[in-house]
Amino acid sequence: MDLRSELNKVGGFKNLELLAKQVVEGFIAGMHKSPFHGFSAEFAEHKIYNHGESTKHIDWKLYAKTDRLYTKRYDEETNLRCHLIVDNSSSMHYPEWTGVTIDNLNKIAFSALASASLMNILKKQRDAVGLSIFSDKYDFYSPEKGSERHHQMLLTKLSEAVVVKPKTQTTETYKYLHQIADKIHRRSLIFVFTDMFQTSEDDEKLFEALRHLKHNKHEVVLFHVFDKEKELTFNFHNGPKRFIDIETGEFINLYPDNVKVNYEKAVSDYFDNLKLKCGQYRIKYVEADINSGFNNILTTYMIERQKFV
């Protein structure tokens, strides 16, 4: 089944679980070309054997087929707790589309499908996953669990986030990150999907909140979600345009070419500062261009999971 045609057929995110499954299956199919060739479509039931572990659960039949050592995984085994944090502020609904399809994902749709794809892998590996969604308020929180009912509830919440656009209001991102950090008590792998745009507070408060997420030895990955073509390189046709701040409603009329050079430098400097600050606070920074697919998201997960456990 083709992901592109399926998403267009269902008219958006009416079957987020199916779309996430297709993203993951496509990723796994290409892993033989990557450093993760040790994983297979069977990785839900097996993990690579590490020297020094007990040989009791080695799957010798699989060894005969693959010439690689794997140990069996069991239903009750949970090695990882993961918490997904999704920014659903007004700016995350850029670009604005009349209908969301695979060809015109906005930032929140990209984040929802990326999150659902991670959940698909976590589910296969019997890991527990939790979810937080915030906009101009703390919209939703659910602790880490591994049940099918819990999985379906999180998919529903992600789908709703794509469809229901919050009112045009500023977002105090740092405030909700602090609240989320206070709720996650057991060591977890935390993925944050946000465009890092806020107007009400300085960047230092935002990074203090991200640092708070690292308490209790959590590992934090910041997926910086943006439209590279528009938000970084400012690639607009040079005609008179009105640019509107989605969160404040303020606007300015101008010709894009008149500000392109200064805009690109200012945004590039801001992005570089984000990377620098994340490095200082030992937060993994990952660019997540909404037009570049999901392989970078899932590859990051694979790397961080191997380091985490």
Side-chain angles (χ1 to χ4, degrees):
M1 185 181 299
D2 180 66
L3 173 63
R4 186 181 302 275
S5 62
E6 183 62 24
L7 181 50
N8 290 334
K9 182 178 72 176
V10 300
F13 281 73
K14 295 179 182 177
N15 197 335
L16 185 56
E17 183 175 30
L18 176 61
L19 298 174
K21 180 180 179 182
Q22 298 304 313
V23 169
V24 172
E25 288 181 352
F27 173 72
I28 293 173
M31 281 202 303
H32 67 280
K33 300 177 182 177
S34 77
F36 304 103
H37 51 77
F39 288 85
S40 72
E42 300 271 327
F43 73 90
E45 288 77 36
H46 299 86
K47 66 178 180 179
I48 297 174
Y49 171 76
N50 294 313
H51 292 293
E53 292 180 344
S54 170
T55 59
K56 180 179 179 181
H57 299 300
I58 288 179
D59 188 330
W60 296 107
K61 290 183 179 179
L62 187 59
Y63 172 73
K65 295 178 181 178
T66 65
D67 198 32
R68 293 179 182 275
L69 290 174
Y70 293 87
T71 55
K72 295 180 180 179
R73 299 278 302 274
Y74 296 93
D75 288 345
E76 68 274 11
E77 183 179 1
T78 297
N79 289 330
L80 180 76
R81 301 174 69 84
C82 179
H83 198 89
L84 304 170
I85 302 174
V86 178
D87 177 357
N88 190 31
S89 58
S90 297
S91 64
M92 288 290 285
H93 287 256
Y94 177 86
E96 293 187 346
W97 302 104
T98 54
V100 177
T101 72
I102 195 65
D103 295 313
N104 53 4
L105 293 174
N106 57 20
K107 290 184 283 188
I108 186 60
F110 177 91
S111 300
L113 185 48
S115 296
S117 300
L118 291 172
M119 285 168 50
N120 182 277
I121 297 180
L122 290 160
K123 177 183 175 183
K124 289 178 180 292
Q125 295 187 296
R126 279 73 169 180
D127 292 327
V129 60
L131 175 66
S132 289
I133 301 175
F134 68 89
S135 56
D136 59 300
K137 61 183 183 302
Y138 197 163
D139 297 313
F140 177 77
Y141 166 79
S142 183
E144 300 78 23
K145 296 180 183 178
S147 69
E148 176 62 24
R149 181 178 180 182
H150 178 74
H151 183 82
Q152 294 299 323
M153 179 185 67
L154 299 192
L155 287 172
T156 298
K157 292 299 180 180
L158 287 170
S159 297
E160 290 174 354
V162 175
V163 176
V164 181
K165 180 182 176 182
K167 296 179 180 179
T168 300
Q169 290 182 326
T170 57
T171 301
E172 295 178 327
T173 302
Y174 77 97
K175 175 181 177 181
Y176 305 115
L177 291 182
H178 278 304
Q179 292 180 20
I180 294 167
D182 286 336
K183 288 178 176 288
I184 306 174
H185 302 295
R186 295 179 61 182
R187 183 170 181 257
S188 302
L189 180 57
I190 300 174
F191 293 112
V192 184
F193 290 88
T194 177
D195 58 8
M196 293 295 285
F197 289 145
Q198 62 171 16
T199 57
S200 59
E201 296 293 336
D202 59 58
D203 296 333
E204 198 59 38
K205 287 189 175 182
L206 184 55
F207 277 102
E208 283 300 318
L210 286 170
R211 227 167 94 176
H212 188 187
L213 284 174
K214 285 186 65 68
H215 82 302
N216 286 346
K217 298 181 179 180
H218 300 314
E219 293 297 328
V220 179
V221 177
L222 174 65
F223 287 118
H224 185 196
V225 184
F226 60 94
D227 183 335
K228 187 172 185 178
E229 183 180 8
K230 296 294 192 294
E231 294 182 313
L232 180 59
T233 62
F234 208 64
N235 187 17
F236 292 94
H237 173 69
N238 191 38
K241 288 182 173 54
R242 170 169 291 185
F243 291 89
I244 303 172
D245 186 321
I246 298 178
E247 295 203 352
T248 66
E250 296 179 1
F251 65 88
I252 184 172
N253 298 317
L254 52 78
Y255 286 84
D257 282 2
N258 291 345
V259 299
K260 181 178 175 64
V261 174
N262 290 336
Y263 175 91
E264 285 183 330
K265 184 181 186 308
V267 174
S268 181
D269 288 347
Y270 175 61
F271 281 20
D272 288 343
N273 184 55
L274 290 180
K275 297 173 189 176
L276 178 62
K277 287 286 190 180
C278 284
Q280 291 174 346
Y281 293 153
R282 300 181 66 184
I283 294 168
K284 186 174 182 65
Y285 173 93
V286 179
E287 287 190 357
D289 177 16
I290 63 175
N291 301 303
S292 296
F294 302 94
N295 281 4
N296 193 33
I297 305 294
L298 300 182
T299 298
T300 298
Y301 161 77
M302 290 295 190
I303 294 171
E304 294 305 309
R305 190 183 198 286
Q306 286 184 330
K307 288 165 53 179
F308 189 84
V309 299

